[in-house]
Amino acid sequence: MKVTSVHTEIFEEKANLADFIVRFLPTVPENTVLAVSSKVVALWKGCTVDYQSKAQKETLIRRQSQAALKTPLAWFTIKDGMVMTNAGIDESNAKGKLIFLPDCYACARELRAALQQAWKVHNLGIVITDSAILPLRAGVIAAAVGYAGFHGVKDLRGKADIFGKKLQTTLVDVADSLATTAALLMGEAAEQCPLCVIEGAPVVFTEDVPRDEIKYPVQNDLYTPLLRAAKLIEEEK
């Protein structure tokens, strides 16, 4: 697998994102996955407000999330079936604004269609990345807040391990794995690399990606007891 970050100019709010990408990346081969920072996607869609106050930000966080818990460091939230801090709302590299997430699955589909046409490719994946934090781990990784053009989950249930034992529960989170791989090169500060080309990724390309395929049932999730204890999800009745 070959992973290459792409250095660009600063993306201006409401500019044409596909045109911007093609200017810095005139072509890609078939079977490419392009990782795109959620920040430039949000700017493309004009998902910003001028920062006014901490109270304003907290109101926006609660409005943008399905569940929210205030902690000493940040808001612990659930948005679009994902656990994330502050509902994905960010102040970094925002020039005095608050940037919030659009419908990233719809954006990934729209961007993919425009880039397929510009690059004359068929098998193309788009993964929109955003920073994420693992419990009890220092530092950020990344998660896929939206993707298109490939299956984001690989199902290994029923497959044999090296000793022939059948796997009972194993699913591979392809989308988030690609997001984190790309984010390692895209950076978090002043790198100005909002794009990353991933060639040779072990993915299954497809035109139809159910947006719920990556969501895991609450009743089976490892973290459900913790989320219930924090009152972010309801107890079973």
Side-chain angles (χ1 to χ4, degrees), residues 38-39 42 61 64-65 75 77 79 84-91 98-101 130-131 145:
S38 62
K39 187 152 293 176
I61 288 169
Q64 288 282 316
S65 56
W75 284 80
T77 61
K79 178 179 173 65
M84 60 178 72
T85 56
N86 295 337
I89 295 169
D90 202 357
E91 295 177 59
L98 296 175
I99 300 179
F100 56 93
L101 295 175
D130 198 10
S131 300
V145 290

Side-chain angles (χ1 to χ4, degrees), residues 143-164:
V145 290
Y147 59 93
F150 65 95
H151 284 297
V153 178
K154 183 182 293 185
D155 191 347
L156 298 183
R157 290 172 295 185
K159 303 287 186 181
D161 69 8
I162 59 174
F163 298 108

Side-chain angles (χ1 to χ4, degrees), residues 8-200:
T8 72
E9 297 172 358
I10 294 174
F11 183 77
E12 298 295 332
E13 186 172 355
K14 296 186 179 179
N16 186 302
L17 182 54
D19 288 350
F20 176 84
I21 292 171
V22 171
R23 184 150 56 91
F24 294 97
L25 196 58
T27 185
V28 300
E30 285 282 353
N31 304 316
T32 290
V33 176
L34 178 69
V36 185
S37 164
S38 62
K39 187 152 293 176
V40 296
V41 173
L43 289 170
W44 169 37
K45 293 301 180 180
C47 294
T48 71
V49 293
D50 291 328
Y51 179 84
Q52 296 173 1
S53 66
K54 184 177 179 182
Q56 172 220 21
K57 181 178 179 179
E58 291 186 351
T59 298
L60 187 60
I61 288 169
R62 291 195 299 271
R63 187 183 304 146
Q64 288 282 316
S65 56
Q66 283 78 58
L69 173 69
K70 190 174 183 179
T71 76
L73 298 177
W75 284 80
F76 196 49
T77 61
I78 296 177
K79 178 179 173 65
D80 197 22
M82 287 181 61
V83 175
M84 60 178 72
T85 56
N86 295 337
I89 295 169
D90 202 357
E91 295 177 59
S92 64
N93 289 316
K95 204 175 180 179
K97 293 190 173 186
L98 296 175
I99 300 179
F100 56 93
L101 295 175
D103 181 338
C104 288
Y105 285 90
C107 290
R109 291 193 298 270
E110 181 182 348
L111 184 60
R112 177 176 180 264
L115 292 175
Q116 280 181 304
Q117 184 173 5
W119 288 331
K120 309 300 182 191
V121 295
H122 178 70
N123 285 344
L124 176 68
I126 301 292
V127 57
I128 299 175
T129 71
D130 198 10
S131 300
I133 300 172
L134 291 177
L136 304 180
R137 289 289 193 177
V140 298
I141 54 171
V145 290
Y147 59 93
F150 65 95
H151 284 297
V153 178
K154 183 182 293 185
D155 191 347
L156 298 183
R157 290 172 295 185
K159 303 287 186 181
D161 69 8
I162 59 174
F163 298 108
K165 182 180 179 180
K166 292 287 182 69
L167 300 175
Q168 300 296 316
T169 60
T170 304
L171 302 170
V172 177
D173 184 346
V174 175
D176 289 326
S177 297
L178 291 177
T180 285
T181 298
L184 190 61
L185 296 182
M186 293 162 75
E188 292 288 333
E191 293 87 351
Q192 250 177 258
C193 294
L195 310 172
C196 192
V197 179
I198 306 172
E199 300 175 58

